[in-house]
Amino acid sequence: MQTVDKKNYIEKTEKNLVHTYNRFDVVFDKGDGVYLYDSEGKKYLDFAAGIAVMALGYNNKEYNNALKNQIDKLLHTSNLYYNTTICEASEKLLEASQMDRVFLTNSGTEAIEGAIKAARKYAYKKQKKGCYEIIAMEHSFHGRSLGALSVTGNKNYREPFEPLIPGVKFAKYNNIESVKELVSQKTCAIIMETVQGEGGIYPAEESFLKEVKEICKENDILLILDEIQCGMGRTGDMFAWQGYGIKPDIMTCAKAIGCGVPVGAFFMTEEVAKNSLEPGDHGTTYGGNPFVSAAICEVLRQFEKKNLLEHVKDVSEYLEDQLDTLVCEYDFLVERRGKGLMQGVETTLKVGEVSKKALENGLIVITAGKNVLRFVPPLIITEENVDEMICKLKETLDTFA
């Protein structure tokens, strides 16, 4: 493999790009299965999957061929016209999501924007005067556009860009009384992640989710569930809410929906669709074009062919057991929490330093919040991959012991 001068490459990239990321000192060149290779040929076991994106792993031949075939046929037409692949993609998505309507976006953040607009338009069409407030959750993360930041429960993200959209209040996650205190006649929606990601890997408690849904039904408030990270099979169900049996009125997803192709979506029930967005209310140039639709179709085809949901349930039990054992071995590991292949281990160590050291040892793990190591590997991992990860992680943790 031809190598590049890593130092020179990094320096040139930093000179060219707006500095909004503190990147690790590595230049990735290619991937295969659950492994990445840097520009110098070093191999890394990837338990981050591009932040829960690469569900099918890297260099998946069937996926690659599906995209190559679509490139040869048609890349883009705009949403002024129909195309053959969006028909198939939307049909597959609605079957998988158990929702009624879908709008395809370019990212998860855009999906959140659309969900917020749909909720406010729903209240407007229902002639609920002054009903525009949204209850979001503390420690949540929904994206970095102005609308998505407005419902993100981290003031450090919000403050530099205020004033944001008005009418957003923040309740405590898994604390139903804090939600009840904020509900009023002005509330049009409650938004939350079914499993909080950036906030520290906290799954919703079933009782909490049920009570929030009941509040929404009683007050004609829309429940918006953000499944951008926890959806698309990561918890062992296609979407995490399906494991709870609590159906949202609006749902967002992205990341693994395209497995590397930039695409997101927001879904809604027929009731919301009939009473919210109309022609001219919302749009996107690239959303749902033939190329990304082909990616969605192939991803969902492989989910079914490989029986990935059952595989995730099986291998995640093993991952949980191994992480629980690890927590017992090290005093500076506090607890494991999560669902499926979305796991977090809380630690008293500086997680950034742990993640950096793990990278030196050929293991990619990322962080969540200030004190959690996050494990969101490709959904195709095996128990052998888990064993290799634990071995590399122990090697890393021993340097801090």
Side-chain angles (χ1 to χ4, degrees):
M1 181 184 73
Q2 183 179 1
T3 61
V4 301
D5 182 344
K6 182 176 80 170
K7 183 174 182 294
N8 184 50
Y9 193 92
I10 291 174
E11 287 177 352
K12 283 187 175 181
T13 303
E14 282 297 316
K15 182 180 179 181
N16 295 337
L17 298 182
V18 177
H19 188 76
T20 57
Y21 292 96
N22 291 318
R23 291 177 168 87
F24 287 98
D25 190 27
V26 62
V27 179
F28 287 122
D29 180 64
K30 67 176 185 177
D32 191 58
V34 298
Y35 296 96
L36 284 171
Y37 298 82
D38 69 16
S39 58
E40 297 172 335
K42 183 178 176 179
K43 182 179 181 181
Y44 300 80
L45 176 62
D46 183 14
F47 262 63
I51 315 182
V53 169
M54 303 301 292
L56 301 178
Y58 301 94
N59 196 25
N60 180 296
K61 299 300 183 185
E62 293 172 283
Y63 176 85
N64 292 353
N65 288 335
L67 294 190
K68 290 173 185 176
N69 290 338
Q70 188 60 46
I71 288 172
D72 289 337
K73 290 177 62 180
L74 185 64
L75 276 176
H76 180 73
T77 61
S78 91
N79 282 305
L80 297 177
Y81 314 97
Y82 298 98
N83 69 73
T84 54
T85 52
I86 196 173
C87 175
E88 183 183 354
S90 59
E91 190 173 45
K92 287 180 177 292
L93 282 171
L94 292 180
E95 182 182 358
S97 67
Q98 301 170 11
M99 302 293 283
D100 299 316
R101 300 278 181 154
V102 61
F103 184 102
L104 293 173
T105 67
N106 304 296
S107 67
T109 295
E110 289 179 50
I112 293 292
E113 294 288 334
I116 292 171
K117 287 179 67 176
R120 286 196 164 179
K121 184 65 185 290
Y122 179 86
Y124 175 84
K125 288 196 72 174
K126 289 279 189 172
Q127 298 183 333
K128 298 170 71 175
K129 188 176 180 180
C131 183
Y132 66 92
E133 292 184 351
I134 297 172
I135 298 173
M137 298 295 148
E138 294 179 1
H139 307 298
S140 61
F141 182 83
H142 297 288
R144 298 182 188 274
S145 63
L146 290 179
L149 273 178
S150 299
V151 293
T152 289
N154 185 324
K155 66 179 182 180
N156 294 326
Y157 290 152
R158 296 195 311 269
E159 283 183 352
F161 305 101
E162 291 175 341
L164 299 171
I165 66 171
V168 180
K169 301 176 179 179
F170 292 95
K172 293 179 174 64
Y173 195 66
N174 284 329
N175 183 325
I176 194 62
E177 294 304 319
S178 73
V179 176
K180 291 178 179 178
E181 289 172 4
L182 299 179
V183 173
S184 74
Q185 291 183 339
K186 293 182 179 180
T187 308
C188 71
I190 299 175
I191 184 171
M192 70 178 79
E193 298 153 276
T194 319
V195 180
Q196 282 195 338
E198 300 290 334
I201 315 297
Y202 288 97
E205 295 173 2
E206 185 173 346
S207 59
F208 175 71
L209 205 52
K210 282 183 176 179
E211 290 189 76
V212 169
K213 178 66 175 180
E214 196 60 35
I215 289 171
C216 289
K217 287 173 64 177
E218 291 173 356
N219 296 276
D220 197 20
I221 294 169
L222 298 185
L223 174 61
I224 305 172
L225 291 183
D226 179 345
E227 298 245 356
I228 291 167
Q229 185 171 163
C230 64
M232 289 301 293
R234 186 144 296 277
T235 63
D237 291 284
M238 184 59 80
F239 292 98
W241 69 261
Q242 294 167 346
Y244 294 90
I246 312 295
K247 186 174 182 176
D249 301 293
I250 302 175
M251 179 185 74
T252 63
C253 78
K255 292 187 181 291
I257 189 178
C259 283
V261 168
V263 58
F266 62 95
F267 301 77
M268 58 185 71
T269 63
E270 190 65 31
E271 169 66 15
V272 176
K274 287 190 301 184
N275 295 284
S276 61
L277 301 178
E278 299 173 310
D281 281 343
H282 201 58
T284 170
T285 297
Y286 294 108
N289 76 11
F291 183 68
V292 301
S293 294
I296 293 169
C297 290
E298 180 59 24
V299 168
L300 290 171
R301 188 190 70 80
Q302 290 202 36
F303 262 76
E304 184 175 358
K305 177 186 175 183
K306 298 176 185 291
N307 199 14
L308 269 184
L309 299 183
E310 288 305 312
H311 173 75
V312 169
K313 290 174 183 176
D314 290 340
V315 76
S316 63
E317 286 188 15
Y318 187 72
L319 174 62
E320 289 177 1
D321 288 343
Q322 297 305 304
L323 290 176
D324 285 340
T325 299
L326 200 69
V327 168
C328 292
E329 289 183 25
Y330 294 89
D331 291 340
F332 47 70
L333 300 182
V334 180
E335 69 168 349
R336 174 202 60 81
R337 55 180 178 262
K339 288 180 76 70
L341 292 182
M342 185 175 177
Q343 295 292 328
V345 171
E346 185 177 333
T347 176
T348 58
L349 299 173
K350 294 181 179 179
V351 287
E353 292 183 8
V354 177
S355 183
K356 182 179 179 180
K357 186 64 179 177
L359 193 66
E360 294 175 9
N361 291 331
L363 173 64
I364 302 171
V365 291
I366 54 177
T367 63
K370 296 180 179 179
N371 61 349
V372 174
L373 287 172
R374 179 173 16 171
F375 303 84
V376 283
L379 303 187
I380 61 170
I381 63 162
T382 64
E383 292 185 2
E384 289 74 17
N385 297 139
V386 174
D387 290 339
E388 182 183 358
M389 181 277 292
I390 292 293
C391 182
K392 290 179 179 294
L393 187 56
K394 290 181 71 172
E395 181 184 356
T396 300
L397 295 175
D398 285 343
T399 64
F400 296 90

